Amino acid sequence: MSPSARAQLNILDLVPVLDGGTAGEAIASTVDIARHAEKWGYQRYWMAEHHNMVGVASSSTAVLIGHVADQTESIRVGAGGIMLPNHAPYVVAEQFGTLATIHPGRIDLGLGRAPGTDPFTTRALRRNEAAAMNFAGEVEELIGYLGDPDPDAKVRAIPGEGTRVPIWILGSSDGGAQVAASLGLPYSFASHFAPAALMSALEVYRSRFTPSTEPGGLDAPRTMAGVNVMVADTTAEAERLFTSVLQRFHGIVTGRRAGLPEPEGDIASLMAKWSPAERQAVSEMTRVSLVGTPDEVRDGLAGFVEATGVDEVIVTCGAHDHEDRLRSYELLADAWS
């Protein structure tokens, strides 16, 4: 079976706020892309929890998931992910139990342990550092709330119990892989921005996987990995559009975060403006990126699936203009199918 025939294609939407744009515009774009993605055959549409970022509008992730699910009919909608130590597991169980009750069979819950923000906002979130150190225990507590109803339990998630919302563990290192393996849960690696440990984390997960009959548990490993994509009718146009993504990563590296910028020239001339250290850092963060025509990106994605053995890929497109982002996802869906 070819890689394209066996690897499921999903979307990770970072809900980017354009430079000079508004969060309302970003959310409206997200809804429109999700509606189109559903028609084009994408299987999952995930959004990630980030805080205090002027260029990202997905801070209230559960609310946004509900909004997107309301505006679509069949595509699975979920979190890629919820940063669990920012929240009490019981609250997350109630939130996603409610979502699953409203939209049965369509809600995914990806869990991470990073703060998703800066140290000042981490304190404002009242983040529980002890919970971050006991991430596996927090996940197990959450699984318990979503499992079969227990009338004798002192604390019950209602809605929540009995929904068995599918849980994924997210990670960018071996740590998350170990948690996913020990709990028998599916694992998604954040190679779209932190690719260095991709292969080692997948190996750790697969080699240590323990089957589980708990809610969301699996009898065999299941993996997903993130990929930056930019697809256009020509390679040159795709590379021009990708300069918006590179500028955003450069802002992360230099601590100057802002809204998603417009494309600027071409990749070579853009990166020539940066210091060698900045170029190296951005290049490393974006190493798992596919930029080009539909055939070029399809072949690159097939090669990525073959090399990693992942069951699913989750792609994210950071084109500045809404129509360019839509076009990129449409071209990829047509090429992959």
Side-chain angles (χ1 to χ4, degrees):
M1 182 181 291
S2 69
S4 60
R6 64 181 171 86
Q8 180 174 306
L9 194 60
N10 313 302
I11 288 177
L12 173 65
D13 187 348
L14 302 179
V15 198
V17 179
L18 303 185
D19 194 8
T22 68
E25 292 167 346
I27 291 171
S29 291
T30 284
V31 170
D32 189 50
I33 293 170
R35 287 171 173 163
H36 282 85
E38 185 172 70
K39 293 188 296 183
W40 294 332
Y42 288 92
Q43 299 298 302
R44 306 184 197 273
Y45 199 94
W46 284 8
M47 290 150 283
E49 177 184 346
H50 293 94
H51 299 281
N52 195 29
M53 296 184 181
V54 297
V56 179
S58 55
S59 57
S60 188
T61 318
V63 174
L64 191 56
I65 288 169
H67 181 55
V68 171
D70 284 342
Q71 302 298 317
T72 52
E73 296 179 359
S74 59
I75 194 169
R76 297 192 67 90
V77 186
I82 292 294
M83 302 298 104
L84 187 56
N86 291 347
H87 315 274
Y90 182 62
V91 173
V92 176
E94 290 180 323
Q95 290 175 342
F96 279 79
T98 300
L99 288 168
T101 300
I102 298 170
H103 304 285
R106 293 186 56 207
I107 302 299
D108 294 329
L109 174 53
L111 299 172
R113 60 179 173 184
T117 188
D118 58 82
F120 300 102
T121 313
T122 295
R123 289 193 288 273
L125 286 165
R126 305 292 195 270
R127 178 177 167 84
N128 188 335
E129 293 300 331
M133 297 299 293
N134 184 33
F135 180 59
E138 297 277 290
V139 174
E140 288 185 287
E141 180 183 346
L142 175 53
I143 289 172
Y145 293 132
L146 298 173
D148 295 333
D150 179 3
D152 297 324
K154 299 297 184 183
V155 179
R156 300 166 63 183
I158 303 172
E161 61 180 22
T163 57
R164 303 177 75 91
V165 177
I167 290 175
W168 287 73
I169 299 300
L170 313 182
S172 58
S173 68
D174 293 356
Q178 293 177 30
V179 171
S182 67
L183 298 178
L185 295 172
Y187 178 61
S188 181
F189 190 89
S191 40
H192 60 291
F193 74 89
L198 170 62
M199 299 307 291
S200 65
L202 292 176
E203 171 59 25
V204 165
Y205 171 68
R206 290 168 178 147
S207 64
R208 302 185 184 183
F209 182 84
T210 302
S212 172
T213 58
E214 294 298 319
L218 304 173
D219 57 8
R222 186 167 187 85
T223 54
M224 183 193 304
V227 180
N228 295 297
V229 297
M230 190 68 71
V231 192
D233 293 317
T234 67
T235 303
E237 176 62 6
E239 291 179 348
R240 185 186 73 84
L241 296 175
F242 194 64
T243 58
S244 291
V245 178
L246 294 174
Q247 290 178 76
R248 167 164 268 190
F249 275 101
H250 183 255
I252 294 172
V253 168
T254 58
R256 296 191 294 268
R257 303 192 184 193
L260 183 65
E262 294 186 9
E264 182 180 321
D266 58 72
I267 292 175
S269 61
L270 173 67
M271 298 186 75
K273 301 177 182 179
W274 305 336
S275 73
E278 291 167 354
R279 286 197 297 272
Q280 181 177 351
V282 172
S283 295
E284 176 57 32
M285 293 177 74
T286 58
R287 181 157 50 86
V288 179
S289 299
L290 298 169
V291 180
T293 65
D295 289 348
E296 290 170 339
V297 174
R298 179 201 60 215
D299 292 347
L301 198 56
F304 177 79
V305 171
E306 191 68 33
T308 60
V310 293
D311 304 289
E312 306 186 25
V313 288
I314 187 161
V315 299
T316 183
C317 175
H320 176 273
D321 290 354
H322 179 66
E323 293 303 320
D324 290 328
R325 210 177 313 156
L326 273 178
R327 180 68 172 154
S328 187
Y329 284 131
E330 180 181 18
L331 290 172
L332 178 57
D334 287 345
W336 193 247
S337 63

